[in-house]
Amino acid sequence: MEQVIKIKKIIPRTHDVRSYRCEKPKDYNFIAGQATEVSINKDGWKEEKRPFTFTSLNDDGDLEFTIKSYFDHSGVTNELYKLKEGHELIVRDVWGAIEYKGPGYFIAGGAGVTPFIAIFRQLHKDGKTEGNKLFFSNKTDSDIILEDEFNSMLGNNVIHIITNDANTKYLTGYINEEFLRKNVTDFGKNFYLCGPPKMVEAMQDLLSKLGASPEAVVFEK
């Protein structure tokens, strides 16, 4: 079912990421980590549907999406970046497989962190962040989405890994076997993965090798 919603507020997060806070339709419910197909309510764009995760909580009065724009081609995210408050989006039914199943390790690459935003906001609101860790990989410090909020919510339980910034204040390198062996104390816990497909695939293989159960590895199918 399609519903037209108005953008109420646009919040810059990084140089290419914005949060779009929108009207929430009546009786529209979701679980933290879920998504919907979104398109722009404008001629030529209405059928250009893309999956975006809700970064608001179900109890919030508004819907929020936090979206990275890619300026190297004239696609949906590039067009989204041109929108202003008052413009409209179209949302559809809720779906998604990244659902919190209990304490564990969250591994995110870049904008792949978006399904984890609502999950951690909900855990923080409920006082249940204990026992969870986030490993968050980005190219540079300036690419980190919601850096201050994650640091505030998780403290020492967020580890930022920077791949392409010699001046970073965080760890440099990659989330590889050496990193996981050093930073994971229990491979029997849940693992939540989201990022570029190649990264997710590589993590699945690595975690399997290191003893994680395939049933405990949660990712978008």
Side-chain angles (χ1 to χ4, degrees):
M1 185 173 69
E2 294 188 350
Q3 303 199 58
V4 175
I5 58 173
K6 192 172 284 185
I7 298 172
K8 295 169 70 174
K9 192 172 184 183
I10 296 173
I11 307 161
R13 299 297 189 185
T14 73
H15 55 98
D16 56 6
V17 176
R18 288 171 157 186
S19 290
Y20 299 83
R21 204 161 283 169
C22 311
E23 296 169 335
K24 184 179 182 183
K26 193 181 175 196
D27 299 325
Y28 192 82
N29 298 297
F30 58 90
I31 297 166
Q34 288 191 308
T36 187
E37 284 196 323
V38 179
S39 58
I40 300 167
N41 192 28
K42 215 160 85 171
D43 287 345
W45 293 97
K46 293 178 185 179
E47 294 306 313
E48 292 291 328
K49 306 167 191 172
R50 299 292 184 274
F52 294 120
T53 309
F54 305 105
T55 52
S56 49
L57 302 184
N58 188 53
D59 292 342
D60 293 347
D62 297 330
L63 285 183
E64 184 189 88
F65 301 95
T66 300
I67 299 170
K68 179 175 179 176
S69 286
Y70 297 88
F71 306 123
D72 55 351
H73 61 284
S74 56
V76 170
T77 64
N78 184 58
E79 196 65 23
L80 266 171
Y81 202 85
K82 300 175 188 175
L83 298 184
K84 309 285 185 197
E85 291 162 8
H87 284 152
E88 293 175 338
L89 303 177
I90 303 169
V91 294
R92 295 163 179 85
D93 292 341
V94 171
W95 59 275
I98 297 186
E99 185 182 336
Y100 185 68
K101 298 177 185 294
Y105 298 92
F106 290 74
I107 302 174
V113 80
T114 49
F116 302 156
I117 293 172
I119 290 174
F120 276 115
R121 283 176 168 173
Q122 189 69 60
L123 289 172
H124 186 253
K125 183 180 177 183
D126 297 340
K128 294 180 178 176
T129 55
E130 192 66 36
N132 292 286
K133 270 200 166 184
L134 171 62
F135 304 143
F136 192 6
S137 175
N138 284 279
K139 288 180 181 175
T140 71
D141 288 17
S142 65
D143 291 309
I144 302 173
I145 299 168
L146 297 177
E147 177 183 6
D148 291 343
E149 186 174 349
F150 277 124
N151 291 347
S152 171
M153 287 193 294
L154 295 169
N156 293 333
N157 287 320
V158 56
I159 298 179
H160 297 285
I161 307 97
I162 303 298
T163 62
N164 194 26
D165 184 355
N167 298 315
T168 179
K169 58 180 177 283
Y170 296 116
L171 286 178
T172 56
Y174 293 86
I175 302 175
N176 53 21
E177 183 174 347
E178 181 189 0
F179 175 89
L180 292 175
R181 285 187 185 279
K182 184 179 176 184
N183 291 283
V184 174
T185 55
D186 183 0
F187 284 96
K189 289 180 91 168
N190 293 298
F191 287 87
Y192 302 87
L193 311 177
C194 200
K198 282 185 178 176
M199 174 191 169
V200 171
E201 203 174 304
M203 285 299 112
Q204 285 176 267
D205 291 344
L206 254 182
L207 290 169
S208 175
K209 177 184 175 183
L210 294 169
S213 163
E215 291 75 38
V217 179
V218 179
F219 61 98
E220 200 65 75
K221 308 286 196 295

